[in-house]
Amino acid sequence: MTSMPFSFTTVGQIHVEWGGAAKQGELLSSWFPARNLLIVTDGGLHKAGVLEPAKSSLASAGFKVTVFDAVVADPPEQVLLDCVAQGRAAGADIVIGIGGGSSMDVAKLAAVMLVSEQQLSELYGIGNVQGARLPLVQVPTTAGTGSEVTNITILTRPDHSKMGVVSDQLYADRVLLDAELTVGLPALHTAATGIDAMVHAIEAYTSKHKKNPLSDAAAREALRLLSSNLVAACKNGADRAAREAMLIGALLAGQAFANAPVAAVHALAYPLGGRYHIPHGLSNALMLQPVLEFNMKAAAPLYAELASPVGADVAQDAGCKAKANAFVKRLIELMDASGAPRRLRDAGVAEEMLPQLAADAMLQTRLLGNNPVEVTEADALALYRAAF
């Protein structure tokens, strides 16, 4: 047990209820006095009718609902600015993010910028948000990003680089986990987002900075839930028990990495999103195996501790190296069984772009500093080659 001081911060309240999205009017009425509501989401979810039960419930409870549905993966700065403009025009006094990580990320900063005098460029970095924000509720529709419980928003700048805003104001007031919303998620998205959540837990557990007993406990339980339910959720999207376990696992992984930050897998994944628009979960899945093997020289004792939570086939009294190897082997088996693409070439990445990706990855200093092993540009290129 550590005797070092540490902090563990998370959202104000988490409500878990199957079908809870259709009761949002009732829930929000008891939580907040505000009634002029901005929903931040993506066009696909809106067109598919996923928001209808929530919108109907909110309208019945007396909320005036405005929907901003132009969020896209790896959201560009302009998407956020458009969202804020629409929220201002509507006089929004409460924000709900409904969707995947991109929608929830945009909702966080929209809730800040709707009442802030600060320019977006002033917010980038750690702890630069000043003052309050509007009330904020997050409702994830994927079991992956953990964005509902993190204090981070990632945006894509015009030069394709990704920049983060990290500030405690981005923690939501309330989170609603309704696993029924994830039932329609296709198998490929279920696999990619589920592996993404596992990456969050692993990188939090091995983070060089801020790793602590509470983040460790969340990471271990996240890995247990995710590893034992990923394949079931991919094979049968309507498996209620698997869907609920995945959603809680993703949330726990989010709590872990919000407090013990992620590292090289994410640093190498971001350029894949910025340059190729590969979904974030999939880009993490593509880079996981090479980075696990690269970090083995420093992280083996921690990987050994995670062998049991992921159900690795290894004797309890086996040595550290055997357990660490079994942990990596088990993750590879899970990724293969999930059906997610495993090579960069299968995701449309061109081999001649690998040096550019390596150069891009070096800009992610905030993340690379958390990795248990230093990553040079030559290392990054070797890792992309290994993933290719």
Side-chain angles (χ1 to χ4, degrees):
M1 198 67 162
T2 181
S3 59
M4 292 286 290
F6 72 89
S7 298
F8 186 92
T9 312
T10 193
V11 298
Q13 186 187 59
I14 298 158
H15 181 78
V16 183
E17 182 176 0
W18 184 270
K23 299 180 180 175
Q24 277 193 76
E26 179 189 324
L27 289 169
L28 266 66
S29 295
S30 65
W31 290 343
F32 305 103
R35 287 291 176 273
N36 206 341
L37 189 144
L38 175 67
I39 292 177
V40 181
T41 190
D42 67 75
L45 279 179
H46 198 188
K47 287 188 195 75
V50 174
L51 305 185
E52 293 315 308
K55 281 164 63 180
S56 159
S57 165
L58 289 161
S60 301
F63 285 89
K64 180 186 166 207
V65 179
T66 301
V67 179
F68 176 82
D69 67 358
V71 178
V72 293
D74 303 299
E77 291 177 333
Q78 193 58 48
V79 166
L80 169 67
L81 298 174
D82 291 347
C83 177
V84 171
Q86 188 173 335
R88 279 216 175 105
D93 55 10
I94 179 170
V95 177
I96 306 189
I98 304 181
S102 296
S103 294
M104 292 189 285
D105 275 11
V106 172
K108 290 174 196 177
L109 268 189
V112 167
M113 292 186 71
L114 279 164
V115 291
S116 174
E117 299 297 311
Q118 287 179 280
Q119 297 299 307
L120 176 56
S121 57
E122 297 169 41
L123 304 178
Y124 286 122
I126 299 173
N128 293 327
V129 175
Q130 295 164 10
R133 56 149 172 77
L134 291 180
L136 175 64
V137 180
Q138 299 281 32
V139 187
T141 59
T142 66
T145 66
S147 179
E148 66 273 14
V149 287
T150 69
N151 62 334
I152 305 164
T153 286
I154 304 292
L155 294 174
T156 305
R157 303 187 79 181
D159 65 357
H160 302 293
S161 67
K162 289 195 165 196
M163 286 288 282
V165 178
V166 184
S167 202
D168 282 354
Q169 287 95 326
L170 302 192
Y171 282 115
D173 298 298
R174 297 283 195 282
V175 169
L176 170 63
L177 289 193
D178 176 3
E180 190 174 27
L181 293 174
T182 69
V183 165
L185 201 64
L188 179 60
H189 294 304
T190 300
T193 53
I195 295 164
D196 183 22
M198 294 176 77
V199 172
H200 294 152
I202 294 162
E203 291 210 293
Y205 201 80
T206 57
S207 188
K208 213 183 209 174
H209 301 293
K210 300 188 177 180
K211 172 179 161 69
N212 64 74
L214 294 180
S215 66
D216 284 354
R220 281 193 302 268
E221 179 61 6
L223 282 171
R224 187 189 71 78
L225 287 167
L226 294 163
S227 63
S228 55
N229 289 280
L230 175 68
V231 176
C234 291
K235 288 197 167 150
N236 175 11
D239 184 329
R240 177 169 170 171
R243 287 295 193 186
E244 291 194 311
M246 291 296 291
L247 201 54
I248 291 171
L251 178 138
L252 287 167
Q255 289 180 315
F257 92 86
N259 288 278
V262 292
V265 178
H266 277 72
L268 293 165
Y270 281 156
L272 295 173
R275 298 245 170 218
Y276 284 98
H277 302 294
I278 295 171
H280 173 68
L282 179 54
S283 58
N284 270 338
L286 289 164
M287 296 314 302
L288 178 57
Q289 182 180 346
V291 174
L292 285 174
E293 291 167 351
F294 176 79
N295 284 343
M296 184 70 85
K297 51 186 173 275
L302 297 171
Y303 291 165
E305 291 171 14
L306 296 176
S308 176
V310 300
D313 183 16
V314 64
Q316 280 302 107
D317 59 355
C320 168
K321 189 161 186 207
K323 284 185 175 175
N325 286 330
F327 165 72
V328 174
K329 180 169 176 265
R330 170 68 173 146
L331 286 172
I332 293 167
E333 286 168 357
L334 281 169
M335 288 192 287
D336 287 342
S338 76
R342 300 279 284 109
R343 316 296 309 172
L344 294 181
R345 62 167 70 94
D346 299 331
V349 175
E351 190 169 10
E352 60 270 20
M353 275 295 289
L354 300 185
Q356 178 65 60
L357 293 171
D360 289 352
M362 288 297 100
L363 302 175
Q364 300 295 333
T365 50
R366 177 177 67 85
L367 302 176
L368 291 172
N370 304 320
N371 204 57
V373 180
E374 186 189 352
V375 181
T376 66
E377 190 166 338
D379 293 328
L381 180 54
L383 288 164
Y384 282 124
R385 289 203 194 289
F388 188 76

